[in-house]
Amino acid sequence: MSIIEGLSHIVLIASSIEKYENSVQFYSLFGYQTISHFVNSKVPTNEVQFLPQEEKLLHLFGKPPTKDITLKIVLATNTNEKEPFPEEKDWRLEQASLVSVTNDIVAVESILKSINIRYQKYTYPDVNESDLLATPPPADFVHTEVYTHDPLNNLITFTNKPNPFSKSIYPIKPKSPVQQDIDISTQPKVERKRIGVLTSGGDSPGMNAAVRAIVRVAISRGCDAYAIFEGYEGLVNGGDMIKKFGWADVRGYLAIGGTLIGTARCASFRERKGRLSAAYNLIKNGIDALIVCGGDGSLTGADVLRSEWPGLLEDLIKEGRITIEEATRFKHLTVVGLVGSIDNDMSSTDITIGAVTSLHRICEAIDSISSTALSHSRAFVIEVMGRHCGWLALMAAVSTGADFVFIPERPPISDDWESEMCETLKKHRDLGKRMTIVIVAEGAIDKNLDPIRPEYIKKLLTDHGLDTRVTTLGHTQRGGKPCSFDRNLATIQGVEAVQAVLRATPDTPSPMIGIRENKITCEPLMKAVELTRQVAEAIAQKDFRRAMDLRDPEFSEDYQAYIDLAVVNEKLSLRENQCLRLGIIHIGAPAGGMNSATRAAVRYALNHGHIPVAIYNGFDGLLQDNLRELSWIDVDGWAGKGGSELGTNKINISELDVGMIAYQLQKHRINSLLLIGGFEAYTSLIELNRSRNQYPAFCIPMVCLPATISNNVPGTDFSLGSDTSLNAIVDSCDSIKQSASASRRRVFVVEVQGGHCGYLAVLAGLAVGATSAYIPEEGVSLKKLQADLNHLTRRFGEDKKGTSSGRLFLRNECVSNTYTTDVIASIFKSESRGLYDSRTSILGHIQQGGTPSPTDRIRATRLAVKCIKFLEQYALPPTSEKIVYPSIYTNVKESAAVIGIEGAQVIFTPVIDLLSETDMKNRKSTKTWWIHLKELVEILSKWGKITFFKKI
């Protein structure tokens, strides 16, 4: 006798309010009705897991021969979430949580499509007609099953077979109600959100990457994406200038500079009549959200359109151009702004899309000019863009080691700045410099607000005997393909822009997507515009201190660092007994920025009365007495040099005689030590710190400045050289992808360096649009390879013959000993079924880069200056008492530290405190802030579900 009389209900647990509400809405679409709602108001905020906070009972009233069924959907935060089954799998082989019978599979598909839910459909046409109950059997009697996931990632099935043992099949009838009371006609219509994207104002590298991300993320989120060509001009004119974009329409956008959807100045949009036409075109295309990528003027125009929207609707109704129903449906316009500007002049964001690429172009030009200037012992006055913002000029000066710079935010203090400039340049020449570089921002002024022109500076230098030329870089600064930083910045901000659209309400102000402290931000657009305008106002009022403060936090620091390095200080304030003999040593593999950091350290030390001592060829060179004191002119030109001028090797201090190292430091009176390098430098600092009790010579302040392309040193988000390496990888992958596209239907497996850290593979994969990145943090398996094979088969099968572009897979060098680069390529080729070919490319040491990127040069300068200040803090005595070496200066743990970037902050972490977050076996940090970007790499190439990210 059975003691079970039937089914009571099925319990589904949601881990968040969003998933809870989405689940209730999802099942309501299929006819489930809420019959009970309970809220547990007594749950404390720190309650244990799984305690219900809220629950709803949903009931489905079945039709014979099926039975009623009840679902209990429970909200219990902190519960573990299920993972959806990969779409490459056959979901029929998995266990479903719920199976529903219906006689209208078409209606089920319609609902799933309307809410953009992925599903798999299977039909079984080979049914024996004699087994069918209906006689004669209708032509549409086909056994059909649909598999999908609910918002809680439960696998659910819809079938037109009443039960597994039944021989009858419900016919597929397009307009009949779904069995179990699923009546489509009574369900609310789900409108797909339509998002328009336009680029406006001056073009900037990275705009195309933003458009690509917006289009693909919008599609992934169940929205329609529309490209508006020629900026506001296209919005006003409408017609063919507003086009719906699909997934493939933005293929290849990442590597192209400028904006492929165009930009134009639009005088008509500044008038209400033009904005009325813009509103009409948006409504007629069903667009209710607008993402604008441009400068402050472009973003202001978008917000004006939104603020006037109700009035514009009224005018359109009066003119009979739209109906009341249309006005009701589009009564709100959502506007989101992205800042695309090479000037980096927008407040509330640390950097704008395109600014870093423009800096790349400027530095490339100045590096080239420098060789001519050096050859002829000339002076060059170089004018750069930036309007009223001096960011480009200042960062170019820091990156190239320019002799003088003029920016609008900090004009020369003296009334006789001409004489001061010429005196500074004369000192440089007297020290042995053969060339002179002066950089002028196009908005440069003196303290009386009078413009400073390049031709005037040329005249001054010529009068002082310098053979001088003027170069205005012009629009070359806007051109060229975007660097890796701008591609990734634009991509991640594009993702956040779509998210901002979806969460916007009529009451929220228009947001601007920015970045502060390496985190993506979403702040009121007009507040940012107002702060930006305050900079110009502060300059006009000669309040230059406020103008500097309104720029990003690093602006003032970088300016002061530049002054400390460019000006020769002849008035040293330190007493002789406070002089540091500062040892500088490079350890590990070469990385972009090592020389820039050394140059900054040497010049800052000299300007503060210290003696910088170069230790050549690492600790091995120290043991061989390979040391030399460096002068100001010795490091001239090092800002843009790649590799390591001091020489470096991967010999770890543990492999050498530590006692002899202590002896050599004492012999050469080294009383502070700057270690520049990767994981070997980090572990060397650990060993030196451990040996302090045994060797007093190590009781000196020591600091490690991480410099490695792998970005694997604990204590910092970014290591010197990692940005240079990313750009080298991106350049190579662009060429490889071009080859793959030209060959059609070709897949490249590209091996990148990084040791056991997947940073390079992930960030480069995001920048080049790789299909996937295989990294040690996740590993690679047959299951993963099979999923990627299925994806390639599907995508190449969908592409029109002769139109397929190439595809890239990035593989970290240490991801697997079994699945090597050649093995993966061979698997792809053998399983391709003739749809595509596969090749390999191992980039090797080209990834170490040649000329360091401007980003690495700026970071190197800023961090090196702070390192010297750190060494001064722990080495200089508090009194005037003369120190006799090798007295113990310090052995506190804080005096042996690693400098790092955390957000926008520069921090010093005692090396002993970093051991807890160090994976010594795999030589990397256990903190991988970038790992969440791995998912985004595949989402933007494979059309998957989307998660939104806050940090880059």
Side-chain angles (χ1 to χ4, degrees), residues 601-622:
V602 167
R603 289 196 169 176
Y604 186 89
L606 288 170
N607 275 347
H608 285 73
H610 307 304
I611 301 173
V613 180
I615 302 173
Y616 291 89
N617 301 320
F619 284 110
D620 197 36
L622 176 64

Side-chain angles (χ1 to χ4, degrees), residues 376 402 616 872:
H376 296 273
Y616 291 89
E872 286 180 330

Side-chain angles (χ1 to χ4, degrees), residues 365-384:
I366 296 177
D367 287 344
S368 299
I369 289 171
S370 295
S371 61
T372 295
L374 184 66
S375 300
H376 296 273
S377 190
R378 282 179 179 157
F380 273 84
V381 182
I382 301 172
E383 184 181 52
V384 302

Side-chain angles (χ1 to χ4, degrees), residues 82-94:
K82 290 184 177 180
E83 292 292 331
F85 294 112
E87 62 178 276
E88 291 81 7
K89 292 179 67 71
D90 186 339
W91 292 347
R92 292 174 295 180
L93 303 178
E94 306 298 333

Side-chain angles (χ1 to χ4, degrees), residues 587-594 643 650 677-680 705-713 717-729 751-764 812-813 843-850 852 856 859 930:
I587 305 172
M594 278 184 160
K650 289 190 174 183
F679 206 82
E680 290 84 2
L705 201 172
T708 168
I709 68 172
S710 302
N711 200 34
N712 61 339
V713 177
D717 290 344
F718 302 99
S719 296
L720 298 185
S722 59
D723 185 73
T724 300
S725 182
L726 278 176
N727 283 288
I729 294 172
E751 181 178 305
V752 299
Q753 291 182 345
H756 290 277
C757 177
Y759 174 84
L760 289 178
V762 170
L763 272 293
N812 170 276
E813 59 185 348
L843 301 184
H845 285 75
I846 195 174
Q847 297 162 84
Q848 289 182 348
D856 274 330
R859 286 173 179 165
W930 45 265

